[in-house]
Amino acid sequence: MSASFRPDGLRLERLSARLPALGGASAGPTVTAQGGAERRGSGWLARVEVSLDAVRFADLGAYWPENLAPNVRRWLTGNVTAGEARAGAWRIEAELPETLDSVRVSSLSGRAEASGATVHWLRPIPPVLGVSGTAEFSLDAVSIAARSGRQARAENGAGGGRGGIEVREGSIRFTGLDAGPGEADIALQLSSPLAEAVA
């Protein structure tokens, strides 16, 4: 870590940390950050840019703080259950009181690449497997631009292996996540035998 301090501010030139490996992973993700904080009225305004090399979606909940964009976190950890996120980069702004005993995140933006992801998009419909694409994040929304994937086959009402419905490309946008369950706008280009698509 490299940082400098003064009475009215803090500058973080660089922070690099290797997080512990979880669940049999060979190595944990590496997080880097830079940014700073300055006095604003009776409190502080902090801005930080965070990068992440790679993390398994199955481990995301253990690394993502619960109070940072909690509804976005809840959706991702509950609905993207396998695969890996890579090349993550986020910009976060937060307000802190003079006592530094609480944090209010006022702005969040970022993006990451996904590969091999399993995405539950409309339960109880089986998930889409092997999704690759790009995800963009804000405090109240998640947007996914998918490049490939394959709809799992339904067997007795449950997901049971790769189906014949191929996702060629698609966009999925979840909004309103800051206030409740939110809304979804899903547009997919599919290739499939007609009988399987109807089923």
Side-chain angles (χ1 to χ4, degrees), residues 169-192:
E169 64 179 70
S171 65
I172 306 170
R173 180 167 171 77
F174 297 91
T175 58
L177 296 176
D178 56 339
E183 298 179 356
D185 182 4
I186 301 171
L188 303 172
Q189 288 189 9
L190 306 175
S191 175
S192 167

Side-chain angles (χ1 to χ4, degrees), residues 15-159:
L15 169 69
S16 180
R18 167 76 71 176
L19 302 180
L22 300 174
S26 59
T30 296
V31 175
T32 58
Q34 62 182 19
E38 59 187 31
R39 283 200 174 274
R40 184 68 57 92
S42 61
W44 294 82
L45 176 64
R47 295 184 180 95
V48 63
E49 296 179 359
V50 179
S51 299
L52 177 72
D53 61 348
V55 64
R56 300 186 310 178
F57 283 111
D59 300 334
L60 193 58
Y63 295 122
W64 188 334
E66 290 187 17
N67 61 350
L68 179 60
N71 290 328
V72 175
R73 176 188 183 276
R74 188 177 307 114
W75 188 89
L76 281 172
T77 57
N79 292 292
V80 185
T81 56
E84 189 173 67
R86 292 185 166 275
W90 293 270
R91 180 178 174 82
I92 303 164
E93 291 189 6
E95 298 172 1
L96 299 87
E98 177 111 22
T99 56
L100 304 179
D101 58 357
S102 65
V103 176
R104 188 184 78 79
V105 177
S106 55
S107 175
L108 168 71
S109 61
R111 62 182 287 135
E113 293 288 326
S115 62
T118 296
V119 180
H120 295 265
W121 58 280
L122 187 61
R123 298 175 193 263
I125 294 174
V128 178
L129 308 175
V131 174
S132 67
T134 303
E136 296 190 355
F137 308 93
S138 68
L139 274 178
D140 66 345
V142 177
S143 299
I144 302 169
R147 292 187 294 271
S148 65
R150 186 168 293 273
Q151 179 73 51
R153 181 176 285 115
E155 292 181 5
N156 299 324

